[in-house]
Amino acid sequence: MKTVLDTSDRPAHDALVEKKSEFIADVCHVDALDEALLFVDSVRQLHPKARHVAYAAICVDGDGRVRERMSDDGEPSGTAGKPILDVLRQGDLMNCAVTVTRYFGGILLGSGGLIRAYSSAASLGVKVARLASIETCRRYTTALQYPQFDVFRQLASDCGAALENERYSDRIVLDAVVPVEREREFLRRVRETFSATVTPESGELISRPVAI
């Protein structure tokens, strides 16, 4: 699976003109369908005179279920949202949203022409987006003594893990986000390096984008 790294405030952007109608694509990363709807609203505000703002979004929820949403926004049924959604499906893209804004040029395109235009615009937007693969990781909460931190940080880096949510008191408590295919290596090295005095606590599975 892949996603895009472009954010909702700086989405990937491209456009085409078909028979005097302009089709403007914007593409961004979202973590939930509610975020996708907020992104669509922000695009509508940027284009108050546009005839249509069609969109599609695909997200993976906390239970690992894939959720999809799309809208033709007044275009004939199946001619706008579905072609955009098909671009996401065919690209194996998750956790992203695509809007295609249409400024009507006065010439009707017909169903086939609309499908091609919305699909082509969405494809152009995805093409210029910054793509990333989605890596499945597990979060490990770990407590460390201060002298252990630098060694643990290097060990985690060697195992492809990212450190997050560092909390400092009489010791350091942090989360290590470890790729699932390297969990055994990570746990073995922690056990051997710290002579079993450091015990990471296994937590939730999460998805992490990794730039391609």
Side-chain angles (χ1 to χ4, degrees), residues 159-171:
C159 294
L163 302 186
E164 300 178 349
N165 304 323
E166 296 173 15
R167 289 88 77 191
Y168 298 90
S169 57
D170 59 323
R171 55 182 182 169

Side-chain angles (χ1 to χ4, degrees), residues 37-121:
L37 296 179
L38 291 174
F39 175 59
V40 175
D41 286 341
S42 71
V43 173
R44 291 188 197 282
Q45 292 174 22
L46 288 174
H47 300 279
K49 296 183 179 181
R51 178 71 67 87
H52 309 281
V53 180
Y55 77 90
I58 301 180
C59 290
V60 180
D61 65 17
D63 297 327
R65 291 176 295 181
V66 176
R67 298 190 180 276
E68 301 174 341
R69 184 169 292 178
M70 62 182 178
S71 171
D72 295 311
D73 194 34
E75 294 282 28
S77 179
T79 63
K82 179 63 162 53
I84 300 170
L85 182 63
D86 285 342
V87 169
L88 296 179
R89 289 172 173 170
Q90 292 164 9
D92 197 25
L93 288 163
M94 296 287 173
N95 286 21
C96 60
V98 178
T99 63
V100 177
T101 302
R102 182 189 182 190
Y103 283 90
F104 183 55
I107 300 175
L108 297 177
L109 301 182
S111 295
L114 286 173
I115 291 170
R116 288 190 297 272
Y118 277 100
S119 177
S120 297

Side-chain angles (χ1 to χ4, degrees), residues 85-158:
L85 182 63
D86 285 342
V87 169
L88 296 179
R89 289 172 173 170
Q90 292 164 9
D92 197 25
L93 288 163
M94 296 287 173
N95 286 21
C96 60
V98 178
T99 63
V100 177
T101 302
R102 182 189 182 190
Y103 283 90
F104 183 55
I107 300 175
L108 297 177
L109 301 182
S111 295
L114 286 173
I115 291 170
R116 288 190 297 272
Y118 277 100
S119 177
S120 297
S123 295
L124 288 173
V126 169
K127 187 175 181 179
V128 299
R130 294 180 295 127
L131 296 181
S133 60
I134 297 179
E135 185 175 56
T136 302
C137 302
R138 189 177 300 279
R139 187 184 303 278
Y140 282 90
T141 301
T142 309
L144 301 165
Q145 300 300 321
Y146 279 81
Q148 297 173 323
F149 177 64
D150 286 340
V151 175
F152 182 86
R153 179 170 55 186
Q154 184 60 54
L155 185 158
S157 177
D158 292 344

